[in-house]
Structures are given as structure tokens and as C-alpha cells.
Amino acid sequence: MASAVGLGMFGAWALREDEKPAPSDARTPIPVSVGPTSTAPPPKLVEVRTVRSRARNRDVEVVAFRPDGVAPGVLPVCLALHGRGARARVFAELGVGDQLSAAAAFAVVAVDGGDATYWQRTSPADDPPAMLADELPGWLGELGLNPRPFAVLGVSMGGYGALNYVRDHRHDVRAAAVLSPALFTSWTDARARNVFTSRAQWEQTEPLRHIDALADVKLGVWCGTADPLLPSANRLIDTARPAVARTGPGGHDADFWVTTMPEALSFIGSHI
């Protein structure tokens, strides 16, 4: 999608017959002010960087999506947290880059959080929350973006992480959108995921057990009616009373997330 710059056109003056110049007269064109030409390169709409995470003790990818038609500058950021078995690049497949608009200019930045961490510390050598708190701001600054995300978007396992990110960064985050959030109403369900190091860790991090921490954020929740995690999504809706709550046809899959992503990003954009 290219930007178009309209150029004004001068109309002709109406002259009396005896005032019209002879065909051989040379006339100096009226100068048109075009202003200085920017030499700054246009920002990349999708940028992927590999960085070393000390908190996760490995290389991770940071994927930044910017809206088209926006001049280079420090954009506000929505942090995107992927689901189980996925990586940061999945948000390109979910259509994030196609949904960003200059009308509500913000960037979406995703980072690798691990295959099945639920965005929690799973061992002394792998601490996704520390990566988000201590390392992400520097990476955002290197990308020329605001180092403190104003919003967070989470899909499935990323929904668990997103709601915990709100708790940890409540002074910065104004909006959160979760699609098919992987939440658990009991320790039996949570333990079956083989992720949490103990019941105490789950109780400390389960968003449904800390609803009060979401009170100051504008929350949007989307979940398919054929999703096996619908009961926990409904529990979130009933207790957190989100600004937007949508349940409709769909399962726990990419088809549902692609369908609901435009509304989720529009919701986030309305809270810049």
C-alpha cells in the first residue's frame, strides 16, 4: 500500500483579449514550494531480529510489525505473546501486519517465550517474565519504539502470560486483549499441562485467582464456543467484566484467531 501525495494545480486567469501575451512571449513559471526532502529511509513494516536473552539463556527472535503510511518515529507498542508450540513469527501467519493502520498508529512486537512455559519461570535457566521486564525495553529501544508497551495481546498460552504481564506492569499497560486464553479453574487441569513447577506456582500466577489485578486495564476477551477452554474463558468474563467479551463459532485454532484478530487489534488501537 503506497502513500500518495497530491499536487495542487493552478487555474488560468481570465484575461481580456488585448491582455493576452503573444505566443512568442516567455513567461517565468510560478515557483512551487515543495519543502525539504526527507532522507530518512522508510521504516520496515516487518522486522525480525535475533537477540541473546540472558534471562532465557538462549537466542530468541523479536518480530516487530509497523503500520504502513506512518513516518519514522517512536511508536507506542502492543506486546504480543504467542501460544504453546508457537514462536513470535506466528503473528505474521495470524495476519497482524495486515491489520495495522495509520489511523491508530502503534506497533506490535512479539518475542519467543518458549514452547510450553505459559510465560512463567520454568527453571533457573529459563525465565520469560524476567526477559520481558529486564531485556525487552532495551530491544524495543533499539528498534526505535517506545520501550514500555501500552498494551498486551495474548493467544492461548499467551493469554495466560498477557494477564500476568498486566499484573507485573500495571502502571504502563492500559489495554489487554486475549484470544482463547488458556486458563485453569483447578489445579487438576493445570497440573495436566506438565508446565508448572508446583501447585504454589500455579496459584501465584493463575489469572483467575487474581482478578482484582485486572481492574485498571481495559480488557477484551474472545473465545470460540467449540473451544474446550470456553468454561475458563467464561469464568474470566463473569468475574473480570471486560470492556469487550465475544464468544462465537470457532475452536481453539488459527482459523478462529485469524477471524478475531482484526477486532482485537482495533480494540487495542482505541486505547492508545
Side-chain angles (χ1 to χ4, degrees), residues 47-267:
E47 188 171 356
V48 181
R49 293 189 180 187
T50 300
V51 296
R52 185 68 180 179
S53 171
R54 295 184 302 276
R56 298 206 59 225
N57 197 36
R58 70 199 70 198
D59 289 344
V60 298
E61 285 189 342
V62 179
V63 183
F65 303 87
R66 292 180 174 88
D68 195 5
V70 175
V74 179
L75 286 172
V77 171
C78 171
L79 172 64
L81 304 183
H82 63 75
R84 185 167 184 163
R87 298 185 62 186
R89 288 175 180 249
V90 74
F91 287 99
E93 300 172 17
L94 298 181
V96 167
D98 298 331
Q99 303 301 329
L100 298 182
S101 165
F106 66 96
V108 173
V109 177
V111 61
D112 292 338
D115 177 61
T117 63
Y118 280 75
W119 295 90
Q120 301 306 309
R121 184 177 186 232
T122 57
S123 75
D126 195 358
D127 192 342
M131 174 185 70
L132 297 180
D134 302 332
E135 298 177 303
L136 178 65
W139 298 336
L140 293 177
E142 292 170 1
L143 287 163
L145 300 170
N146 192 306
R148 297 183 180 277
F150 80 97
V152 60
L153 165 71
V155 175
S156 187
M157 178 185 83
Y160 194 102
L163 297 177
N164 275 289
Y165 186 86
V166 170
R167 291 177 61 197
D168 295 339
H169 303 267
R170 64 184 67 187
H171 297 300
D172 298 319
V173 178
R174 297 193 294 274
V178 291
L179 281 56
S180 309
L183 309 178
F184 310 106
T185 57
S186 71
W187 169 233
T188 299
D189 290 341
R191 182 172 53 188
R193 277 14 186 219
N194 295 317
V195 170
F196 301 100
T197 58
S198 66
R199 178 170 184 163
Q201 185 196 36
W202 169 70
E203 291 179 346
Q204 176 60 32
T205 60
E206 172 55 59
L208 292 176
R209 300 176 69 88
H210 302 277
I211 293 297
D212 290 348
L214 307 177
D216 296 330
V217 69
K218 296 298 184 182
L219 177 62
V221 180
W222 289 260
C223 192
T225 51
D227 191 326
L229 290 174
L230 179 63
S232 57
N234 281 334
R235 176 78 66 86
L236 176 65
I237 292 169
D238 292 341
T239 54
R241 301 300 178 110
V244 173
R246 300 277 192 268
T247 58
H252 196 89
D253 52 44
D255 289 341
F256 181 78
W257 303 328
V258 168
T259 300
T260 53
M261 188 64 71
E263 185 181 12
L265 291 175
S266 177
F267 169 78

Side-chain angles (χ1 to χ4, degrees), residues 18-43:
D18 59 352
E19 289 179 329
K20 292 183 179 179
S24 60
D25 281 359
R27 296 285 171 155
T28 303
I30 298 173
V32 178
S33 176
V34 296
T37 301
S38 174
T39 58

